[in-house]
Amino acid sequence: MSLFDSIKNAALSALKRESRKAVNKAVNTAVQNIGKGRNHTEKFTFTALPANVDELKALPEAKLDTAFKTTALTILALSRYEADPEAAFAMLSFLKGPEELSTSEKSFMKDRLNGKEYKVRSFFEGAVPDNDYTPNKPYVISVIENPYSFDNDNWATLYVTSGGADNPRNIKLRKKPSTGEWFLNDIQCLGDIRLPKSEDKWA
């Protein structure tokens, strides 16, 4: 083998090694970045539940600068329905932003929640059928993002966990680009769950 061939082979070997390193580095980076900033849960802790829209607006999350905050506040607003439906509607109207809380949306909530207010309590940490959906204190809400939550620009679908359901329940949100605020679009988390123990004749 000539000196030229030896130099050529050495150069090719070095080039292959560097190429393999570059490919491996790119693959590792891609694997590490899969779902980065996604597939995660944000927890929100509240010492008390707001009784009216002014108390809701006073919370730091009421800046509505992330979809997660708006989702957590939606659960707080719904939690007021049992004691004061009109106060709950006022809070939800604030969270709807530029859109009104429609009559059909109010009717939907009445249909889903009247006599079943425990559904909302189930979204707080510690609330399960065996304790009749009694939340831990302070109140903790977990909001979940999956890989498809932000697939469409200015739209999001986030999820809340229920102590009475096998799968998380979703809430749809919409961003107002001019202000950066995330507003409630559609409440899709109020399907039936397991009965509280005190109401379950088979418990």
Side-chain angles (χ1 to χ4, degrees), residues 52-165:
N52 54 56
V53 68
D54 289 332
E55 290 184 9
L56 185 80
K57 290 179 179 179
L59 295 171
E61 290 81 6
K63 291 186 295 184
L64 308 182
D65 53 345
T66 75
F68 294 88
K69 292 177 182 178
T70 306
T71 300
L73 293 187
T74 297
I75 299 303
L76 293 189
L78 288 170
S79 72
R80 187 60 182 163
Y81 183 87
E82 184 171 7
D84 189 345
E86 291 305 317
F89 292 153
M91 287 189 260
L92 291 169
S93 291
F94 163 69
L95 296 174
K96 292 277 288 183
E99 295 183 351
E100 295 287 331
L101 185 68
S102 68
T103 301
S104 61
E105 287 175 311
K106 292 178 182 179
S107 296
F108 172 79
M109 279 181 270
K110 289 176 182 177
D111 179 64
R112 293 300 180 99
L113 292 178
N114 281 356
K116 296 182 178 180
E117 291 86 355
Y118 58 81
K119 289 182 185 178
V120 181
R121 295 198 303 272
S122 80
F123 296 120
F124 293 101
E125 196 170 89
V128 294
D130 282 350
N131 64 14
D132 284 344
Y133 294 110
T134 303
N136 294 340
K137 291 183 181 179
Y139 301 94
V140 177
I141 301 168
S142 295
V143 182
I144 304 167
E145 172 191 9
N146 73 19
Y148 312 103
S149 286
F150 292 91
D151 269 1
N152 299 314
D153 287 345
N154 300 319
W155 290 89
T157 301
L158 296 179
Y159 299 82
V160 285
T161 55
S162 166

Side-chain angles (χ1 to χ4, degrees), residues 10-51:
L12 287 173
S13 295
L15 185 60
K16 288 178 181 177
R17 283 196 301 272
E18 291 306 313
S19 295
R20 282 196 297 270
K21 286 180 183 178
V23 169
N24 288 337
K25 183 177 180 181
V27 169
N28 288 335
T29 300
V31 169
Q32 290 169 4
N33 285 334
I34 289 175
K36 183 171 283 188
R38 310 180 79 170
N39 281 323
H40 78 282
T41 299
E42 291 192 14
K43 290 193 173 188
F44 296 87
T45 302
F46 304 95
T47 55
L49 302 179

